[in-house]
Amino acid sequence: MTWTEAVVVSHFLMTPDIAVIDLAPDEGTEFPAYTAGAHIDVQTDSGPLRQYSLCGPPENGHYRLAVLNEPGSRGGSRAMHALKVGDRLRISAPRNRFPLVTARRHLLFAGGIGITPLLAMTHQLDAEGGDYTLHYCARSRTHAAFVPELTDNPHATFHFDDEGPAQMLDMARDLGEPQPDTAVYVCGPAGFIDHVLGKAEAMGWPPQVLHKERFSNDRAAAQRDADGSGGFTIRLASTGAEYLVPGGSSVLDILLENGVDAPHSCQLGICGECVVRVLAGDPDHRDDVLTPDERAEGMFATCSSRALSPTLELDL
């Protein structure tokens, strides 16, 4: 992975637990362009590698992040909240596994900090004259980032828990029956995403128009750690080398332990950086990033998925 040096040029609390951080490139350089829905990897001196959505207007030359301080996290959010103006950190080029698709209309559902990629989508859709509605759900206005920016947006509707039942998200009303050429996007806590997608599927919305981005993949970690099988073997197509993947270890773990230059980033099955192609064998997909079509084409997330067959041959 290629890293770029970034400088913190603005850092402030937008809510009691959400910091907004603006990054600028070194003098004389420029950040790569990005599209709405993209995220970057961030490496600080004191925190683990984490991924954060870019939520500012894509054309302003800076990268804007909004980071929720999560006490139970691996330490990345605390490190980001501790940054000061002038601090430097390393970032990756933007990657986008959650882009806007071609559609007549777009329905955006944000839960809490899940507003970040969807806010970037509103910027892009506003610039393009797109037809969209944003539904923003949070505990309260106090804990919701970017409310002032969105208050005058005629496409935005707020749903705050502390403002009474009438303000709550109503999927029958706010999503409705499937509409031709309408795309649905959802981002936020796992329970929120599952609720929106479950209701959408029950109402007959086809899977191919439902788009999600998760910030965690607890299911994959729990299944991996609880896996009591005898494991399986991976074979590298380029060398024929074979390695045993025991229960409790991921394919990526074993590749890295054996010196294989395997791509990776989040190690949670949500960013797509580690995806490779399976040439033979039957994968047990446990990621939360690949589409059904990508899985059918043989794509495989080495950090979270496993095997249903004794051997998987990988295009590595």
Side-chain angles (χ1 to χ4, degrees):
M1 182 183 297
T2 301
W3 293 97
T4 298
E5 290 286 324
V7 182
V8 178
V9 293
S10 176
H11 189 294
F12 63 94
L13 286 177
M14 181 167 279
T15 77
D17 53 4
I18 297 176
V20 174
I21 304 164
D22 290 323
L23 305 177
D26 277 333
E27 187 174 351
T29 64
E30 295 182 356
F31 284 150
Y34 68 94
T35 54
H39 68 265
I40 57 173
D41 296 338
V42 177
Q43 179 67 71
T44 66
D45 291 337
S46 57
L49 181 68
R50 293 297 304 269
Q51 293 74 40
Y52 297 104
S53 296
L54 295 167
C55 56
E59 69 279 358
N60 73 357
H62 289 182
Y63 286 172
R64 168 164 281 194
L65 314 175
V67 181
L68 175 66
N69 192 1
E70 300 182 272
S73 75
R74 296 178 295 165
S77 64
R78 291 192 297 275
M80 295 295 286
H81 273 246
L83 290 170
K84 303 180 297 296
V85 171
D87 284 348
R88 306 178 73 85
L89 62 164
R90 299 191 308 160
I91 65 173
S92 72
R95 293 194 304 275
N96 200 342
R97 298 286 308 185
F98 190 48
L100 283 168
V101 300
T102 301
R104 177 186 60 81
R105 185 166 180 249
H106 306 266
L107 297 178
L108 317 178
F109 292 87
I113 196 61
I115 187 62
T116 49
L118 301 184
L119 182 66
M121 291 182 181
T122 69
H123 294 316
Q124 182 173 328
L125 290 166
D126 285 337
E128 297 173 351
D131 181 3
Y132 73 94
T133 300
L134 168 68
H135 293 280
Y136 186 5
C137 305
R139 287 180 292 162
S140 67
R141 290 179 184 271
T142 304
H143 291 88
F146 303 110
V147 169
E149 178 176 335
L150 289 166
T151 296
D152 294 329
N153 185 328
H155 302 280
T157 299
F158 299 108
H159 307 276
F160 299 123
D161 293 350
D162 64 350
E163 294 187 1
Q167 296 298 318
M168 301 293 284
L169 184 68
D170 182 333
M171 295 299 291
R173 176 195 65 204
D174 299 323
L175 177 63
E177 298 301 315
Q179 298 295 321
D181 202 17
T182 295
V184 179
Y185 310 80
V186 57
C187 186
F192 176 79
I193 293 176
D194 292 342
H195 172 73
V196 172
L197 294 181
K199 290 289 187 180
E201 291 170 2
M203 294 165 66
W205 286 81
Q208 62 267 26
V209 305
L210 304 177
H211 308 275
K212 68 181 184 300
E213 182 167 70
R214 296 186 188 270
F215 296 142
S216 65
N217 187 2
D218 296 335
R219 180 179 67 90
Q223 288 182 334
R224 182 196 66 191
D225 293 342
D227 196 315
S229 68
F232 57 96
T233 297
I234 52 172
R235 180 188 305 120
L236 307 189
S238 61
T239 64
E242 295 187 348
Y243 307 107
L244 175 66
V245 181
S249 293
S250 70
V251 171
L252 179 62
D253 291 337
I254 300 305
L255 291 171
L256 297 178
E257 287 173 11
N258 286 277
V260 178
D261 185 17
H264 65 283
S265 178
C266 74
Q267 301 189 45
L268 295 170
I270 58 175
C271 78
E273 179 68 8
C274 74
V275 170
V276 300
R277 188 177 297 277
V278 172
L279 301 178
D282 188 8
D284 177 10
H285 294 290
R286 302 184 184 184
D287 67 276
D288 216 339
V289 66
L290 294 174
T291 66
D293 287 345
E294 289 172 326
R295 292 178 177 183
E297 292 169 2
M299 307 314 290
F300 177 82
T302 62
C303 74
S304 56
S305 296
R306 301 185 67 77
L308 298 173
S309 55
T311 301
L312 288 181
E313 183 173 0
L314 306 180
D315 189 14
L316 281 173

